[in-house]
Amino acid sequence: MAFSDTCLMFSVAIMNLICGVLGALMFCLAIWMRLETGVRDWVRELEMFQYWNGLYILMAAGAIILIIAFCGCCGALTNNILLLIINGSLTMFSFVFLLFGASILLANWSSPSFDYDHYRAQFSIVLNRKDAISDNFIIWLIYVVGCCGSRSYMDYGKSNLPIPDSCRDAISGNVYHEGCVEKFSIFIEKRAGWIAGIAIFVAVLQLLLICFTFAYIRTIRYHDDSGRKQRYEGVAQS
């Protein structure tokens, strides 16, 4: 095998390995973000289920990428055309999955597209429920992001409710002025940005991987055809 062919083989194997590691990272990160207790309660209370939809898609993409990486590494190192074709085909499928999942997260949870009015209304409903679940949820939210009320601390006055002690900074004792919807939108945007960024980076790698994989398949077929041609010529001469 020529040196250039060897470089192509190891390039395919190494790129599959990198994609596999990033796919496993994305899969674990999506599971953690889906099961994180406080964020899970926020999504359920405010009906932000599009956030979970994006995570489910990226979770599935991460699992598919692990299968792709295994097929790609084995196919490249053993010159197995069938495994490489499976690798290339599944890579194209996961590429679409990655972009779709990342677009759902970025389309719903980036600042320009965040539906503040809708979630402020949902937060006001939770605020006025006055049950143990909603109280614990609001206390957790204030503690994590440092906020008070839907738009601001004045929401409590409009609802004829006293400002809770949890709305005050634990050190200074000052009331948080920023609303929880705005603060949480920044919090969730960072989380969505992490995993969407990984997904987009893997998708770019997969574009290169598709080109390298099919180039290597063509190289293997070329060498196979050349070998068969030489054998036929040897038989004819004998």
Side-chain angles (χ1 to χ4, degrees):
M1 184 180 288
F3 176 73
S4 59
D5 296 339
T6 303
C7 289
L8 187 57
M9 177 188 72
F10 281 109
S11 296
V12 172
I14 291 171
M15 290 182 69
N16 272 289
L17 181 62
I18 293 172
C19 287
V21 171
L22 292 175
L25 175 63
M26 185 173 63
F27 180 78
C28 294
L29 186 60
I31 290 178
W32 171 65
M33 293 171 69
R34 171 61 182 84
L35 299 178
E36 190 178 9
T37 304
V39 177
R40 182 181 60 196
D41 293 340
W42 171 271
V43 171
R44 185 170 54 246
E45 291 291 337
L46 300 190
E47 300 178 359
M48 301 165 66
F49 299 116
Q50 301 96 327
Y51 178 69
W52 282 347
N53 293 338
L55 292 181
Y56 290 143
I57 293 171
L58 294 183
M59 205 181 299
I64 294 171
I65 288 170
L66 289 174
I67 299 173
I68 291 171
F70 177 77
C71 292
C73 288
C74 293
L77 296 176
T78 61
N79 295 335
N80 189 308
I81 290 179
L82 178 60
L83 285 177
L84 289 172
I85 291 175
I86 293 173
N87 172 266
S89 302
L90 287 178
T91 298
M92 289 187 284
F93 180 72
S94 68
F95 174 80
V96 175
F97 249 51
L98 287 170
L99 292 184
F100 185 49
S103 64
I104 288 178
L105 288 176
L106 295 178
N108 287 284
W109 312 117
S110 59
S111 296
S113 59
F114 196 82
D115 191 351
Y116 291 98
D117 292 335
H118 171 73
Y119 293 118
R120 285 191 188 109
Q122 289 293 113
F123 187 89
S124 297
I125 293 173
V126 175
L127 186 66
N128 290 315
R129 274 210 332 243
K130 302 178 184 178
D131 56 29
I133 296 176
S134 61
D135 289 345
N136 291 334
F137 160 67
I138 291 171
I139 290 172
W140 171 87
L141 179 63
I142 293 171
Y143 174 76
V144 170
V145 302
C147 62
C148 190
S150 173
R151 292 177 180 271
S152 69
Y153 67 95
M154 298 177 66
D155 289 343
Y156 284 93
K158 293 176 183 178
S159 301
N160 297 318
L161 296 171
I163 297 176
D165 292 336
S166 55
C167 272
R168 300 181 182 275
D169 186 275
I171 299 175
S172 66
N174 296 327
V175 174
Y176 295 117
H177 284 235
E178 294 180 275
C180 289
V181 173
E182 286 79 2
K183 291 284 286 186
F184 190 76
S185 70
I186 297 171
F187 175 83
I188 206 71
E189 183 180 17
K190 290 179 180 178
R191 299 293 184 91
W194 296 345
I195 194 167
I198 294 173
I200 292 171
F201 180 70
V202 174
V204 172
L205 282 181
Q206 287 188 328
L207 281 178
L208 296 174
L209 180 58
I210 290 169
C211 297
F212 279 43
T213 299
F214 285 104
Y216 189 51
I217 290 172
R218 196 168 83 169
T219 299
I220 295 172
R221 284 176 171 167
Y222 172 78
H223 286 300
D224 288 346
D225 292 342
S226 297
R228 281 194 294 269
K229 184 177 180 181
Q230 290 176 359
R231 287 195 298 272
Y232 293 152
E233 289 175 351
V235 172
Q237 291 175 0
S238 62

